[in-house]
Amino acid sequence: MICPVCSTPNEPHRKFCGECGARLARACANCGTPNDPAARFCGECGTALPASAGTKSAEVGDTPAAEPTGAPSLAVAERRLVSVLFADLVGFTGLADDRDPEAVRELLNHYFDLARVVIERYGGTVEKFIGDAVMAVWGAPTAREDDSERAVRAALDFVDAVRTLDAGEGQEPLQARAGVLTGEAAVTLGATNQGIVAGDLVNTASRLQSVAPPGTVLVGQVTYQATIDAIAYEPAGEQLLKGKVAPVKAWRAQRVLGKIGGVGRSEGLEPPFVGRDEQLRLLKESVHATGREQRLRFVSITGHAGTGKSRLVWELLKYIDGLVEVVYWHQGRSPAYGEGITFWALGEMVRKRADLAEGDDPQTTRAKIAAALDEYVPDDAERRWIEPKLLGLLGLEEVKTLEREELFAAWRTFFERVSQQATTVLVFEDVHWADQGLLDFIDHVAEWSVGYPILLVTLARPEFLERHRDWGAGRRSFVSLSLDALPDDAMHDLLSGLVPGLPDPALRAILGRAE
């Protein structure tokens, strides 16, 4: 028996490799299940197993038959920790009965395209499409430490995205449901799409999905424990699943709380994100369109204090952090008062990209700026031109004698070079406090960096647009989002999420609708 890990020959009776300790097993060519080296038939599906080298397959002294030329090599399987996602459309059978077959096929094509896009954004692999069901896996063929979290993030995003599909005139909005389980499964090495994973985990994930309420994601205990730092859950009780003797404990995934691993999550209670789903979808698509088209996009978000501008950006950052695609994030705020703060927000962005801490001394600052330029600006002459302008932005060089356009050009060029490595996001907060110099720089980037994958995002209060009525005017790919106060139903959901169990009379009283 040849070890599938280290290729060492082993005696036929061995169950584990004598060289590396790996389990010795032959993978079933039909279902991928590992089997004992001496087994003649697969214990999972009954398929006949060809005799392996060194296994007694004939009487002693018989000459073994030569393997036919060109015969396919038997796939190798191993046990791995994976996360499996199952999702399907709710009520699709009834919907399909009342529609033209061509319309049904077109709807399914859009649905499957959406599934593939969302799953691959989070590093998953689509295993198969069955009817209206989707199966995807994380941990095979490539494994990451945060696979289970990415699977849950993908499930939440997919269930939300399905609501945007066009179900047809007069039809209720489409809904999906999903189940995610993490555990050991047999992984067929080298397989693509069909037949990547097999085992009880796959069947259980499918059953868990089938009991999820419409529009929800249920996860098992191992997934819950691996992701609780980053995902908000509520108990879903013990689920009786078809074919399972014991009930399966489940949790309902609600929302993402922080970046990967829970980094940056609020120490206190974070209210649910409600009433801004469409705006968040637009920002997500803006990120992907910026990278896909390699062109600048400009989004202006305005709203009164407390309407959720910063929360919307925080949700976008959490989303971007969960993607496998690299996106460079920069965020800076314009202070309401102080001296020498004209380009404070831009300075914060440069510090972020150079990995500078607030208290770094001048020597450390110079060294880190030089390292950042080495990483992002390949041309030596361009590095020498940009470096003193960046140091001047941080207060370490005298730049008062330089023309403003030259400073703008150098700062802009730095972020253009960053964007040539990956899509780059620049978020300018509180631009209603910003000096005219910073506004001019944002406008300068919008004009000169059109051919680079840069997403400009500005946050401001409504009075900003009263003073700058032509903000973004004439700019290609400019979008203006105005955040009005949340409607009562969204506020109801918000308060219910903050104070679970609060009775309706109390909620109505808070909303000013007491009877």
Side-chain angles (χ1 to χ4, degrees), residues 148-157 180 217 219 223 227 231 233 253:
S148 53
E149 183 182 330
R150 293 184 188 275
V152 179
R153 284 172 174 258
L156 287 168
D157 200 17
V180 180
V217 176
V219 309
T223 307
T227 61
I231 310 291
Y233 290 101

Side-chain angles (χ1 to χ4, degrees), residues 159-436:
V159 166
D160 177 66
V162 165
R163 298 187 181 99
T164 66
L165 292 175
D166 184 10
E169 188 175 350
Q171 299 287 345
E172 293 292 323
L174 292 174
Q175 290 193 85
R177 59 188 172 200
V180 180
L181 281 185
T182 301
E184 279 197 340
V187 175
T188 303
L189 304 182
T192 57
N193 298 328
Q194 297 280 349
I196 298 176
V197 294
D200 182 64
L201 182 75
V202 175
N203 296 328
T204 307
S206 175
R207 303 299 186 196
L208 183 64
Q209 167 269 134
S210 68
V211 300
T216 66
V217 176
L218 293 184
V219 309
Q221 185 166 358
V222 177
T223 307
Y224 166 75
Q225 291 173 336
T227 61
I228 190 172
D229 287 338
I231 310 291
Y233 290 101
E234 66 177 11
E238 293 187 333
Q239 302 293 326
L240 295 173
L241 305 182
K242 183 179 178 180
K244 304 296 291 185
V245 176
V248 174
K249 206 168 185 179
W251 283 263
R252 177 185 172 185
Q254 296 177 298
R255 61 185 183 277
V256 178
L257 293 175
K259 296 194 287 185
I260 287 291
V263 174
R265 63 174 289 178
S266 173
E267 293 296 327
L269 181 64
E270 181 178 87
F273 181 71
V274 296
R276 307 295 186 203
D277 292 337
E278 289 186 12
Q279 292 89 342
L280 181 57
R281 289 191 198 108
L282 186 146
L283 287 175
K284 289 178 179 178
E285 180 52 34
S286 294
V287 171
H288 295 296
T290 299
R292 183 173 61 247
E293 299 171 4
Q294 295 289 292
R295 293 186 66 84
L296 180 140
R297 286 178 174 249
F298 189 174
V299 180
S300 170
I301 304 174
T302 56
H304 291 287
T307 52
K309 300 185 296 296
S310 295
R311 177 62 186 276
L312 186 60
V313 167
W314 169 231
E315 293 297 323
L316 179 64
L317 174 56
K318 289 188 291 185
Y319 168 75
I320 287 175
D321 189 66
L323 302 175
V324 291
E325 173 191 357
V326 174
V327 177
Y328 290 131
W329 181 273
H330 310 81
Q331 189 169 349
R333 182 187 302 274
S334 294
Y337 56 88
E339 293 184 4
I341 59 171
T342 299
F343 299 105
W344 184 272
L346 186 61
E348 286 187 315
M349 295 180 182
V350 171
R351 290 188 182 94
K352 161 68 177 176
R353 185 50 42 211
D355 196 27
L356 281 164
E358 189 70 32
D360 281 342
D361 57 41
Q363 183 178 359
T364 302
T365 300
R366 290 177 182 276
K368 288 189 175 181
I369 289 294
L373 288 168
D374 285 342
E375 181 176 358
Y376 298 107
V377 183
D379 184 76
D380 182 61
E382 204 168 53
R383 286 198 301 270
R384 292 196 303 271
W385 172 61
I386 294 174
E387 185 171 18
K389 283 78 171 179
L390 291 184
L391 293 174
L393 177 66
L394 302 180
L396 296 182
E397 291 281 350
E398 183 65 45
V399 294
K400 291 182 180 179
T401 59
L402 296 177
E403 292 289 337
R404 192 178 71 166
E405 287 302 313
E406 185 176 355
L407 288 173
F408 282 9
W411 298 340
R412 183 199 82 233
T413 301
F414 174 68
F415 286 107
E416 287 177 351
R417 298 298 171 262
V418 172
S419 74
Q420 287 178 317
Q421 296 195 19
T423 303
T424 296
V425 180
L426 306 178
V427 179
F428 295 88
E429 294 189 84
D430 294 339
V431 295
H432 49 272
W433 300 123
D435 289 347
Q436 188 60 46

Side-chain angles (χ1 to χ4, degrees), residues 381-514:
E382 204 168 53
R383 286 198 301 270
R384 292 196 303 271
W385 172 61
I386 294 174
E387 185 171 18
K389 283 78 171 179
L390 291 184
L391 293 174
L393 177 66
L394 302 180
L396 296 182
E397 291 281 350
E398 183 65 45
V399 294
K400 291 182 180 179
T401 59
L402 296 177
E403 292 289 337
R404 192 178 71 166
E405 287 302 313
E406 185 176 355
L407 288 173
F408 282 9
W411 298 340
R412 183 199 82 233
T413 301
F414 174 68
F415 286 107
E416 287 177 351
R417 298 298 171 262
V418 172
S419 74
Q420 287 178 317
Q421 296 195 19
T423 303
T424 296
V425 180
L426 306 178
V427 179
F428 295 88
E429 294 189 84
D430 294 339
V431 295
H432 49 272
W433 300 123
D435 289 347
Q436 188 60 46
L438 182 65
L439 301 180
D440 289 343
F441 174 74
I442 296 172
D443 194 59
H444 174 88
V445 174
E447 180 179 359
W448 289 91
S449 302
V450 174
Y452 294 87
I454 296 175
L455 175 62
L456 288 174
V457 181
T458 60
L459 311 183
R461 295 179 185 174
E463 56 264 29
F464 173 77
L465 293 184
E466 295 175 6
R467 300 194 306 268
H468 303 274
R469 296 183 182 277
D470 59 347
W471 184 242
R475 298 297 179 205
R476 184 176 177 178
S477 300
F478 175 79
V479 175
S480 179
L481 293 179
S482 178
L483 304 186
D484 298 323
L486 290 173
D488 283 353
D489 58 346
M491 287 298 298
H492 185 284
D493 294 341
L494 178 64
L495 292 170
S496 298
L498 280 172
V499 190
L502 192 67
D504 276 346
L507 287 171
R508 287 196 296 270
I510 294 172
L511 293 173
R513 295 188 284 113

